[in-house]
Amino acid sequence: MAGSDPTTAPDTVKILVAGGFGVGKTTMVGSVSEIAPLRTEEPLTAAGLGVDDLDGIEEKRATTVALDFGRITIGDDLVLYLFGTPGQQRFWFMWNDLAIGALGAVVLIDVRRPESSFAAIDFFERRHIPFVVGVNGFHGRHPYTPEEIQDALALPESVPVLLCDARERESSRDVLIALIDRVIAAASGGGRLARPGR
């Protein structure tokens, strides 16, 4: 805003919400965003038969084709900009552009189909982008403990695994706060968080 003091402006941090097809990324961004989220959802059509794997998510009727966008203010000095990635393999080429300037990521997994999020975990590990794993409990069910999931995914202890419900604002917010804690811990030298940019 014109005339505002830049020394008191909040830090803005770009965060990705990633994962496989149908794990709840759009739901999480929408549940936690303080603004009306931008969505690029399109109906699933017959053209996707044999391309999109609907095994276990047969009720899914729409899918993100570009990105989701939302915003949440964590405190007076910190605002998160959330970018939800598309989940289908044919849209993965967009992830590189979406990752530019991101300080961290939430990888959502569906324990009914954990293999759908392996690519997201690999993506952030290879790029050394700090991430946490959010285990989205569909229908409120969490059949496994965080420790069991961490072992199954062969994640190091430094990667937090949190049980969550992407439909609930407080649950999604807690996952984001855990991510910010990890980003701060991973940052060299501490201090104020860098602003995302190209």
Side-chain angles (χ1 to χ4, degrees):
M1 188 168 72
S4 63
D5 182 355
T7 63
T8 60
D11 279 315
T12 56
V13 176
K14 180 180 181 181
I15 298 296
L16 297 188
V17 179
F21 180 48
V23 296
K25 301 178 295 295
T26 297
T27 301
M28 172 173 271
V29 172
S31 73
V32 78
S33 179
E34 63 197 19
I35 61 172
L38 168 69
R39 293 186 172 131
T40 59
E41 283 196 307
E42 294 293 336
L44 291 171
T45 66
L49 294 176
V51 178
D52 297 325
D53 182 8
L54 293 173
D55 188 31
I57 53 170
E58 292 82 3
E59 72 281 2
K60 189 170 177 61
R61 296 290 176 262
T63 186
T64 299
V65 297
L67 60 90
D68 301 307
F69 175 77
R71 184 187 73 201
I72 178 173
T73 300
I74 296 294
D76 292 339
D77 58 350
L78 183 60
V79 175
L80 306 186
Y81 291 116
L82 309 176
F83 291 79
T85 65
Q88 303 98 306
Q89 186 172 356
R90 65 182 183 275
F91 294 131
W92 285 354
F93 70 91
M94 299 177 63
W95 287 31
N96 285 321
D97 287 339
L98 288 172
I100 293 172
L103 292 189
V106 172
V107 175
L108 275 184
I109 71 165
D110 175 355
V111 293
R112 302 171 301 177
R113 301 174 300 117
E115 69 284 352
S116 69
S117 293
F118 290 164
I121 291 171
D122 184 63
F123 180 88
F124 296 113
E125 284 181 337
R126 286 176 181 268
R127 287 158 182 79
H128 306 289
I129 297 174
F131 67 95
V132 300
V133 171
V135 184
N136 190 13
F138 284 81
H139 310 295
R141 297 188 188 124
H142 285 292
Y144 304 104
T145 67
E147 292 76 20
E148 289 172 323
I149 293 166
Q150 194 156 34
D151 288 343
L153 297 177
L155 292 170
E157 291 184 6
S158 60
V159 177
V161 175
L162 302 104
L163 305 180
C164 67
D165 187 333
R167 302 168 300 176
E168 297 182 1
R169 178 179 174 82
E170 287 189 5
S171 182
S172 297
R173 182 202 61 200
D174 289 346
V175 172
L176 292 169
I177 290 173
L179 173 61
I180 292 303
D181 288 343
R182 176 144 203 254
V183 168
I184 291 171
S188 58
R192 290 171 67 84
L193 293 169
R195 296 179 184 277
R198 295 185 74 89

